[in-house]
Amino acid sequence: EQIHDNLQIMDAYTGIAMAHALMGDLRKSLDYYFKAKKAEETFEPAFWTIQNIAETYLKMHMLDSALYYNKVSYHIADTSHNQQYMKAFAIRVFGAIYSEKSQDQLALKYYHRFVDNFYHYNLNNHEIDGVYLGIAKLYQKNNQIDSSTYYAKKLSFQNNNWLMTDVVKTTFYDERTKSQAYPSAPWNLKFNANLLNVGLVDPNELSLPTLAKFARFLQENGLHSSEA
């Protein structure tokens, strides 16, 4: 019975917090989210309430506080059972926070990680629109108006070339984005597959994000494909 009472209290405080946010009073909204958090933590980890706190701090441009509470919410999601959607939600907010901090490469890292998770886990949530918009704004900021990003379900090495399969290509323009699907497409990466064999990694059937991550690792450590 006590859990039911606290659940009702949490719902009431959350409703009030949302109402104040709609009226533009973010400080008051934050006060009620903290009250909701206190009630919720009596019966379960307060992931969504803490996530709301993080996003409210983000809207207030209190970025260190936003980052702290988003890390807390991500930890809750990461240690919960089968909560990929919750983790992806926090990843999206990391992107938004680092974008506001003008740490553009870190923001893009988290945004692209969200996109990878969105397609890989078939999340079917609406945050993808905001992520694409965030990526587009970052490309616009850095004068990369016609930049594109790719997602592929599978990547294989054939005839000394990389081939993507089941591809979605999203192009970011100044005022809009455009997505196109292709059954396959070449990936023009100058990267020697022998490096993967040296690292005991099979280059065939390798996911695009995994290969890209490996390539970044080599670049960050001063290695090149010609060293294979």
Side-chain angles (χ1 to χ4, degrees), residues 59-207:
K59 292 174 183 176
M60 297 169 70
H61 207 71
M62 298 176 67
L63 302 180
D64 289 339
S65 295
L67 186 59
Y68 171 81
Y69 282 101
N70 201 60
K71 286 180 178 178
V72 172
S73 65
Y74 181 85
H75 176 74
I76 293 172
D78 194 38
T79 54
S80 300
H81 177 65
N82 195 27
Q83 296 295 343
Q84 190 60 46
Y85 174 83
M86 293 162 58
K87 288 173 63 176
F89 197 99
I91 288 168
R92 176 188 65 81
V93 177
F94 276 129
I97 292 170
Y98 285 118
S99 179
E100 287 295 310
K101 280 177 165 283
S102 294
Q103 294 178 244
D104 295 352
Q105 293 305 310
L106 198 51
L108 283 171
K109 171 187 171 182
Y110 279 104
Y111 279 148
H112 284 300
R113 183 178 170 188
F114 176 91
V115 173
D116 290 340
N117 287 348
F118 177 84
Y119 289 106
H120 181 75
Y121 295 103
N122 195 26
L123 295 178
N124 292 324
N125 52 25
H126 299 292
E127 284 80 24
I128 190 70
D129 295 338
V131 169
Y132 278 145
L133 180 61
I135 294 173
K137 287 181 176 179
L138 287 171
Y139 281 138
Q140 180 184 35
K141 175 183 174 183
N142 291 283
N143 295 317
Q144 296 173 270
I145 303 302
D146 293 330
S147 293
S148 298
T149 187
Y150 289 84
Y151 175 82
K153 289 185 178 179
K154 187 171 70 174
L155 184 71
S156 59
F157 192 69
Q158 302 178 11
N159 300 321
N160 293 319
N161 291 296
W162 294 103
L163 182 68
M164 300 181 290
T165 305
D166 293 331
V167 181
V168 177
K169 175 187 177 184
T170 302
T171 305
F172 301 94
Y173 298 99
D174 194 9
E175 299 289 338
R176 62 189 176 88
T177 62
K178 179 182 178 181
S179 293
Q180 296 173 283
Y182 303 94
S184 64
W187 192 30
N188 298 319
L189 177 67
K190 296 180 179 179
F191 186 78
N192 192 332
N194 291 330
L195 271 180
L196 298 175
N197 292 324
V198 170
L200 301 181
V201 181
D202 184 0
N204 295 307
E205 308 297 323
L206 195 67
S207 70

